[in-house]
């Protein structure tokens, strides 16, 4: 791979290879990242990149789209089969534009919607005031229960019944527990709201049946395709047939121009890969590994938000151990482990200086690690957090982390 690039542009080639080596030599704990197969990478770096295909299969604004239509239709059909979706739009370029298109299809500026607070597990596009979502729509925000740090469905139903939002959003970026999507459906039915989920983080788990999949009974479900779903960096929208036209028009021409058909080809490859028994085993192992990592960290004295996990991610309250989220992220990075600082429920810091870190197991599981290795990962994390002010010790830990990672190669 990359022979031409090495000849044409040595600097960028070297940087790309250096990034591959960083990925291979470190413990990647960011729960929204993954390692895709070479088949997905090859599809992404391929000839459909060269084509303009504004419009949809069978109705394009450019000639020469006979083959492209076949690629896009195949991606749509594979996605329908994988998630049990009535209608799929595979053109959104990423998660934020997918959410933007879903809102634009179903809401008018100023309409009331209800989503989860960013600081308690939501996403910027779920109504934060600095984001288009909070600026364009009247987004009300729910959080988690103070005691359990989990969703309080009665409290959400109460806000919904009082405020009568036109759309209620579930699906989160930092929520370690199962989501009761059926409860969201019934809250929406009671108040006549559109029922929407952003399943970006758990899409792979939903596709594999490891987490409840809301696609068949929600009005609209958005997801990125590069997290647990293990596809290219992109997104899709799945919806009921009755709102399909609105969704499609919101994506194109409402928001985007020419779709990235090379990425759509890579999405098709990823959907095929996800519809296999191997992928189901992988998704099951992600959860087993996350639970094992959580238990190992708890045994070492760390406090986990909500007490543990049911999915692929964990939120660790680092302040309890006397370290801020940002210092924890930096210490881990110096030790060859990558995570992100993250707010925790009822945060007393700020998004830039929060009280915790967010970690997860999708990448480690893709590399073939199992529960046994999670004990070693927890031990490396603990060593680095305890050595946060000792750069020499952190460098030594990084050497050992790299040795450990070499046992689990992925890209040669
Ligand atoms: N930035 C993503 C994450 O890391 O969770 C969400 O879009």
């Amino acid at each position: 791979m990359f022979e031409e690039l090495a000849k044409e542009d040595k600097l960028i080639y070297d940087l790309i290879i250096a990034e591959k080596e960083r990925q291979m030599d470190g413990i990647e704990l960011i729960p929204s990242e993954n390692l895709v197969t070479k088949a997905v990478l090859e599809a992404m770096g391929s000839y459909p990149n060269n084509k303009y295909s504004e419009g949809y299969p069978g109705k394009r604004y450019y000639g020469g789209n006979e083959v492209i239509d076949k690629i896009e239709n195949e991606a749509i059909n594979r996605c329908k089969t994988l998630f049990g979706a009535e209608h799929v739009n595979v053109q959104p370029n990423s998660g934020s534009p997918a959410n933007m298109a879903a809102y634009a299809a179903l809401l008018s500026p100023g309409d009331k919607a209800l989503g989860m607070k960013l600081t308690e597990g939501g996403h910027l596009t779920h109504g934060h005031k600095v984001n288009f979502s909070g600026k364009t729509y009247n987004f009300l925000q729910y959080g988690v229960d103070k005691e359990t740090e989990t969703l309080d469905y009665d409290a959400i139903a109460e806000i919904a019944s009082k405020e009568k939002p036109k759309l209620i959003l579930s699906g989160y970026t930092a929520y370690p527990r199962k989501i009761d999507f059926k409860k969201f459906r019934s809250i929406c039915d009671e108040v006549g709201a559109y029922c929407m989920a952003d399943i970006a983080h758990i899409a792979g788990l939903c596709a594999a049946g490891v987490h409840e999949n809301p696609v068949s009974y929600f009005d609209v479900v958005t997801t990125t395709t590069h997290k647990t779903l293990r596809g290219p960096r992109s997104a899709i929208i799945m919806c009921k047939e009755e709102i399909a036209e609105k969704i499609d028009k919101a994506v194109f021409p409402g928001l985007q121009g020419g779709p990235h058909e090379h990425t759509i080809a890579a999405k098709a490859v990823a959907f095929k890969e996800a519809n296999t028994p191997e992928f189901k085993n992988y998704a099951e192992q992600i959860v087993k590994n996350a639970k094992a990592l959580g238990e190992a960290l708890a045994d070492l004295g760390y406090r986990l938000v909500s007490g543990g996990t049911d999915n692929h991610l964990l939120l660790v309250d680092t302040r309890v151990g006397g370290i801020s989220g940002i210092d924890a992220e930096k210490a881990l990075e110096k030790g060859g482990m990558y995570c992100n600082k993250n707010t925790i429920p009822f945060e007393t810091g700020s998004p830039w200086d929060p009280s915790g870190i967010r970690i997860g197991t999708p990448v480690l599981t893709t590399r073939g690690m199992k529960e046994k290795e999670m004990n070693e990962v927890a031990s490396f994390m603990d060593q680095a957090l305890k050595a946060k002010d000792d750069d020499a010790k952190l460098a030594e830990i990084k050497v050992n982390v790299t040795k450990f990672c070499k046992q689990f190669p992925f890209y040669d």
Side-chain angles (χ1 to χ4, degrees):
M1 243 178 154
F2 307 121
E3 295 81 10
E4 289 301 317
L5 180 62
K7 274 191 264 164
E8 285 285 325
D9 192 334
K10 182 78 170 62
L11 173 62
I12 293 299
Y13 170 80
D14 285 346
L15 290 172
I16 287 173
I17 298 304
E19 171 56 15
K20 181 193 86 172
E21 280 164 9
R22 186 199 65 80
Q23 290 177 14
M24 291 298 93
D25 289 351
I27 291 178
E28 183 53 75
L29 293 164
I30 295 173
S32 47
E33 295 188 5
N34 217 325
L35 305 174
V36 298
T37 61
K38 281 204 173 158
V40 169
L41 284 181
E42 282 178 3
M44 258 191 288
S46 68
Y47 307 111
N49 174 72
N50 303 336
K51 188 72 194 102
Y52 252 118
S53 51
E54 282 179 21
Y56 288 102
K59 202 175 166 213
R60 306 282 190 181
Y61 288 83
Y62 294 77
N65 274 300
E66 195 189 333
V67 180
I68 293 295
D69 279 3
K70 287 183 184 156
I71 292 173
E72 191 165 331
N73 277 328
E74 189 62 26
I76 290 168
N77 290 333
R78 288 180 186 184
C79 186
K80 282 184 179 171
T81 308
L82 184 63
F83 285 98
E86 282 181 22
H87 180 80
V88 178
N89 188 308
V90 291
Q91 293 193 2
N93 288 330
S94 205
S96 293
N99 285 346
M100 194 182 244
Y103 303 151
L106 304 176
L107 303 174
S108 299
D111 274 353
K112 246 183 217 177
L114 177 60
M116 169 86 114
K117 283 178 206 158
L118 176 67
T119 49
E120 296 190 14
H123 185 248
L124 273 173
T125 60
H126 296 181
H128 196 282
K129 60 182 187 315
V130 302
N131 182 260
F132 78 88
S133 53
K135 290 181 182 192
T136 312
Y137 306 103
N138 179 9
F139 248 103
L140 307 161
Q141 305 260 270
Y142 58 88
V144 292
D145 175 74
K146 196 156 192 172
E147 291 303 310
T148 62
E149 297 176 304
T150 60
L151 292 167
D152 176 346
Y153 296 93
D154 292 337
I156 297 165
E158 211 177 299
I159 305 175
S161 143
K162 185 164 160 249
E163 300 286 350
K164 302 275 184 302
K166 201 168 167 192
L167 179 148
I168 300 176
L169 179 56
S170 52
Y172 315 106
T173 66
Y175 186 68
R177 294 300 185 176
K178 280 203 166 119
I179 303 165
D180 191 337
F181 285 123
K182 293 208 167 84
K183 281 211 171 120
F184 273 102
R185 179 73 257 182
S186 82
I187 294 170
C188 289
D189 287 343
E190 268 168 39
V191 300
Y194 282 116
C195 193
M196 172 172 169
D198 172 350
I199 60 167
H201 265 258
I202 55 171
L205 308 184
C206 295
V210 173
H211 189 290
E212 167 80 8
N213 169 14
V215 170
S216 65
Y217 55 90
F218 266 41
D219 298 304
V220 60
V221 175
T222 58
T223 181
T224 51
T225 44
H226 49 271
K227 298 187 175 96
T228 50
L229 192 52
R230 212 163 59 179
R233 187 159 292 279
S234 195
I236 51 173
I237 304 177
M238 298 172 274
C239 68
K240 294 267 178 222
E241 200 55 61
E242 67 215 49
I243 56 170
E245 197 181 333
K246 283 186 184 171
I247 292 286
D248 285 352
K249 281 190 172 151
V251 175
F252 175 84
L255 184 60
Q256 295 185 178
H260 298 182
E261 295 291 347
H262 53 304
T263 311
I264 290 173
K267 285 184 237 192
V269 176
F271 299 148
K272 184 176 180 208
E273 290 176 354
N275 204 2
T276 57
E278 291 76 23
F279 190 88
K280 187 172 166 47
N281 292 341
Y282 161 69
E284 282 167 357
Q285 191 64 46
I286 289 180
V287 178
K288 286 183 197 163
N289 283 352
K291 283 184 191 290
L293 182 58
E295 280 161 21
L297 287 169
D299 287 347
L300 289 164
Y302 292 92
R303 188 183 93 77
L304 306 175
V305 168
S306 83
T309 182
D310 302 321
N311 59 26
H312 64 302
L313 73 80
L314 295 142
L315 272 180
V316 185
D317 179 348
T318 53
R319 279 219 206 268
V320 169
I323 178 166
S324 68
I326 191 165
D327 287 342
E329 179 192 296
K330 281 184 190 155
L332 290 171
E333 180 154 359
K334 286 183 185 167
M337 289 163 271
Y338 307 104
C339 74
N340 67 279
K341 58 189 164 299
N342 215 92
T343 53
I344 60 171
F346 305 95
E347 178 63 62
T348 51
S350 69
W352 190 248
D353 183 19
S355 304
I357 54 170
R358 189 183 65 152
I359 57 173
T361 54
V363 172
L364 302 184
T365 311
T366 291
R367 296 186 72 159
M369 293 185 199
K370 299 244 163 63
E371 290 94 318
K372 178 163 75 75
E373 282 77 33
M374 295 305 111
N375 290 320
E376 293 189 60
V377 171
S379 163
F380 281 129
M381 289 177 71
D382 185 46
Q383 290 169 41
L385 293 173
K386 290 200 168 110
K388 73 179 168 57
D389 299 316
D390 183 345
D391 280 1
K393 176 76 184 155
L394 290 168
E396 199 183 294
I397 294 167
K398 189 171 182 174
V399 171
N400 291 332
V401 161
T402 299
K403 266 191 220 152
F404 168 74
C405 289
K406 297 268 186 227
Q407 298 169 61
F408 300 92
F410 188 73
Y411 298 127
D412 46 32

